[in-house]
Amino acid sequence: MPDRNSPLAPFRHDIFRLIWAASLVSNFGGLVQSVGAAWMMASISDSANLVALVQASTALPIMLFSLASGALADSFDRRRIMLTAQFFMLAVSITLTLVAWYGLITPWLLLCFTFLIGCGTALNNPAWQASVGDMVPREDLPAAVALNSMGFNLTRSVGPALGGAIVAAAGAAAAFAVNACSYFALILALLRWKPALPKSPLPREPFGRAISAGFRYVSMSPNIGKVLLRGFAFGLSTSAILALLPLVARDLVKGGPLTYGILLGCFGIGAIGGALASARMRDILSSETIVRYAFAGFALSAVVTAFSPNSLITGPALFLAGACWVLALSLFNTTVQLSTPRWVVARALSLYQTMTFGGIAGGSWLWGAVADGHGATNALLWAAAAMMAGAALGLRYPLPQFESLNLDPLNRFSEPSLPLDLKPRSGPIVVLIDYEIDEQDIPAFLTAMTERRRIRIRDGAGQWTLMRDLENPTIWTETYHVPTWIEYVRHNQRRTQADAENGDRLRALHRGREAPRVHRMIERQTILPTEYERYKRQVDMH
């Protein structure tokens, strides 16, 4: 079995091996389908923009729907969500195969089908990526994310070339048929997986509130915000190479579908090397340094590709691009996962995907439009300049280093026994916590309270304030609101082991004889007598 420090360590876990292998088959089919769709568009349309929109139409649903999918993945059985997505994409792929086989395909109909496949991917991806943490322990997570990238790019190293051969020999419909068959391996693997996940004692979070909780958590987590920004910049600028590669193969190196497949294979082989090297690079370089190298390496690849007259020069340039692609994206993904507790990890990953794939979709359209007006060479050169700007963005928003935060639940909260008969939906709830702070400790207290505010709001509190008693200046009161009693319980159960330091520091600064006093109150509105009479008459009339 692989050593724990080996990049292959996640293969020690049976279910990870099984689903990883099944994903190889599924990814192979997806890449064959991508080659067929891209080359079919290049065959039935002379528009460079429409060719680039094939990639954009697949990435756009991920940008639009990933957050909703992430909320579903955090609220429902992730395995069932992945099965639903796989069956949906299977149905779409079979329909696409039949439409192409009977010669009914048009440019916009092809984009509709690729958009629907992208919708299935948008539903599948947050559940799949969040499930990696259910298959392997936390210490194996970075290697598992890198192995997933390597698995995809193993198929990318041979899948596109075989896809090009299939398209050249039997047409795009055959490529679509291969993709339809490839879903069965992953469907069978998911049917065999029976994860033993802990059941939450709380009712499922409402869908709209779950989405807003994901937004709130990410907005109050500065490190995740930096990853989202850099992911968007990376997707926007580097999407040029993959979006314009059909035009590179057809116009710059004067090849056909097989050449396009081989060039994609070169990108995939480079990505495998990047995945294998990622663990070693994380040991010797900071996360920000790796990302800057990835931007710069991609820019160099774009320049070489823009001026290369044949595939013997373009191929090695794409090796470099593929390695940079995996190094950056696997690092972004791992940083988000290691910075997020399990209750919200799918939503955080979905927001990361929304930003990254939003950049890819927007960049694919942008660079396609530039290529339409100024040619593929100029589009690649301008994209290279954008990549260098993305590297420079790290001067202002550097990527954080991996942190060994313990994001397991703190489990210090016990729901209090109350004399009032509160229902889960009773509210709004107002919480006041009194601290007694010596004058010399006030600066340290305010610093700790700044962090406390971020934690409170991140976990669902609203209207947070800190007040000082004018008559007894040593007394400080923290207040916040939650909409219902069940949201108050949920808010407290979201506290992690990493948050304990802040609470311990505040309790150490408190000088009272007892622990800080907590007041839990429920808001009630008064009704004037005239309003009450009017209300009573309305009730009597009905």
Side-chain angles (χ1 to χ4, degrees):
M1 298 298 288
D3 182 81
R4 294 188 68 87
N5 295 323
S6 166
L8 305 180
F11 285 146
R12 294 181 292 111
H13 308 284
D14 293 342
I15 189 58
F16 181 81
R17 286 200 312 272
L18 175 64
I19 294 185
W20 186 87
S23 296
L24 283 184
V25 178
S26 181
N27 290 336
F28 171 79
L31 287 166
V32 170
Q33 186 270 341
S34 296
V35 172
W39 196 259
M40 172 169 274
M41 184 64 81
S43 302
I44 63 178
S45 173
D46 293 328
S47 170
N49 203 20
L50 283 175
V51 172
L53 281 177
V54 172
Q55 177 173 279
S57 65
T58 304
L60 182 61
I62 300 175
M63 179 190 73
L64 295 177
F65 307 129
S66 277
L67 181 57
S69 300
L72 291 174
D74 279 329
S75 302
F76 293 88
D77 186 335
R78 290 166 184 160
R79 170 180 163 273
R80 292 186 179 182
I81 291 175
M82 288 187 281
L83 281 169
T84 301
Q86 295 300 316
F87 278 117
F88 173 77
M89 289 188 285
L90 172 62
V92 173
S93 296
I94 291 173
T95 306
L96 173 59
T97 301
L98 294 174
V99 170
W101 181 265
Y102 288 106
L104 303 176
I105 203 75
T106 64
W108 289 105
L109 188 58
L110 178 59
L111 289 176
C112 287
F113 278 113
T114 54
F115 180 85
L116 289 174
I117 291 174
C119 290
T121 303
L123 178 62
N124 181 80
N125 279 1
W128 159 236
Q129 295 194 31
S131 293
V132 175
D134 300 328
M135 299 177 194
V136 301
R138 183 178 176 83
E139 62 268 19
D140 288 341
L141 188 58
V145 171
L147 282 173
N148 282 337
S149 296
M150 186 181 77
F152 177 76
N153 288 289
L154 274 171
T155 56
R156 181 174 254 164
S157 63
V158 295
L162 290 177
I166 291 170
V167 172
F176 302 150
V178 168
N179 182 44
C181 294
S182 71
Y183 291 109
F184 289 103
L186 189 51
I187 288 173
L188 292 174
L190 290 172
L191 289 172
R192 287 188 58 188
W193 182 31
K194 306 295 182 184
L197 300 176
K199 290 187 177 180
S200 173
L202 300 179
R204 184 177 293 121
E205 198 171 8
F207 183 68
R209 192 166 289 165
I211 290 179
S212 65
F215 269 119
R216 183 178 58 245
Y217 188 92
V218 170
S219 68
M220 298 305 294
S221 303
N223 284 347
I224 299 178
K226 292 177 182 178
V227 177
L228 266 57
L229 176 62
R230 303 300 295 285
F232 176 80
F234 191 79
L236 181 71
S237 57
T238 61
S239 59
I241 286 184
L242 289 178
L244 300 178
L245 200 56
L247 302 181
V248 171
R250 188 188 68 184
D251 301 335
L252 300 187
V253 301
K254 311 299 182 185
L258 183 57
T259 302
Y260 171 57
I262 291 172
L263 292 178
L264 265 180
C266 292
F267 187 96
I269 292 172
I272 295 169
L276 291 173
S278 62
R280 176 61 178 160
M281 292 188 70
R282 287 197 305 269
D283 287 339
I284 62 177
L285 297 173
S286 69
S287 297
E288 177 57 32
T289 301
I290 294 173
V291 169
R292 290 185 193 179
Y293 283 168
F295 271 105
F298 235 112
L300 176 61
S301 175
V303 171
V304 172
T305 301
F307 290 117
S308 169
N310 62 69
S311 57
L312 294 178
I313 299 175
T314 303
L318 293 175
F319 290 155
L320 176 61
C324 294
W325 179 268
V326 166
L327 285 171
L329 293 184
S330 64
L331 194 148
F332 292 152
N333 185 299
T334 302
T335 303
V336 172
Q337 295 216 41
L338 293 180
S339 303
T340 312
R342 300 303 301 166
W343 68 268
V344 74
V345 65
R347 280 166 281 184
L349 285 168
S350 69
L351 280 168
Y352 155 67
Q353 288 192 350
T354 296
M355 294 297 289
T356 302
F357 282 89
I360 291 172
S364 298
W365 171 82
L366 172 64
W367 306 122
V370 173
D372 252 348
H374 304 279
T377 296
N378 285 326
L380 288 169
L381 293 176
W382 292 1
M387 294 170 206
M388 294 307 297
L393 195 61
L395 298 174
R396 180 67 178 84
Y397 301 101
L399 208 66
Q401 274 297 95
F402 288 151
E403 296 185 71
S404 57
L405 297 177
N406 185 348
L407 299 179
D408 292 334
L410 184 57
N411 290 329
R412 289 184 183 174
F413 175 78
S414 297
E415 188 172 350
S417 177
L418 303 174
L420 285 179
D421 183 23
L422 284 188
K423 300 293 188 280
R425 296 182 62 183
S426 298
I429 304 298
V430 183
V431 181
L432 300 89
I433 307 172
D434 295 331
Y435 300 88
E436 186 175 339
I437 306 297
D438 289 340
E439 188 69 27
Q440 66 269 20
D441 292 331
I442 288 177
F445 175 74
L446 293 177
T447 299
M449 270 298 172
T450 300
E451 176 67 6
R452 171 55 63 96
R453 174 185 180 275
R454 186 187 70 82
I455 292 171
R456 292 287 192 202
I457 296 174
R458 183 200 67 189
D459 290 346
Q463 302 179 47
W464 187 95
T465 58
L466 180 63
M467 300 179 292
R468 190 177 190 182
D469 192 321
L470 293 177
E471 296 181 355
N472 188 356
T474 63
I475 301 299
W476 295 73
T477 302
E478 173 194 6
T479 73
Y480 64 92
H481 292 60
V482 286
T484 62
W485 179 253
I486 195 65
E487 289 304 314
Y488 171 71
V489 176
R490 203 189 306 275
H491 165 80
N492 281 279
Q493 291 189 348
R494 286 172 175 168
R495 203 73 45 77
T496 68
Q497 298 285 345
D499 298 329
E501 180 184 351
N502 177 259
D504 293 342
R505 188 161 63 250
L506 286 169
R507 279 187 291 273
L509 292 169
H510 173 65
R511 295 305 178 213
R513 294 181 180 179
E514 300 177 353
R517 185 179 178 188
V518 180
H519 309 264
R520 303 175 183 90
M521 302 182 180
I522 186 168
E523 286 188 0
R524 286 292 178 261
Q525 300 297 325
T526 57
I527 302 178
L528 295 174
T530 55
E531 293 176 339
Y532 176 76
E533 290 297 329
R534 188 182 306 117
Y535 167 76
K536 189 174 184 300
R537 285 196 299 271
Q538 291 174 347
V539 171
D540 292 341
M541 290 174 60
H542 290 84

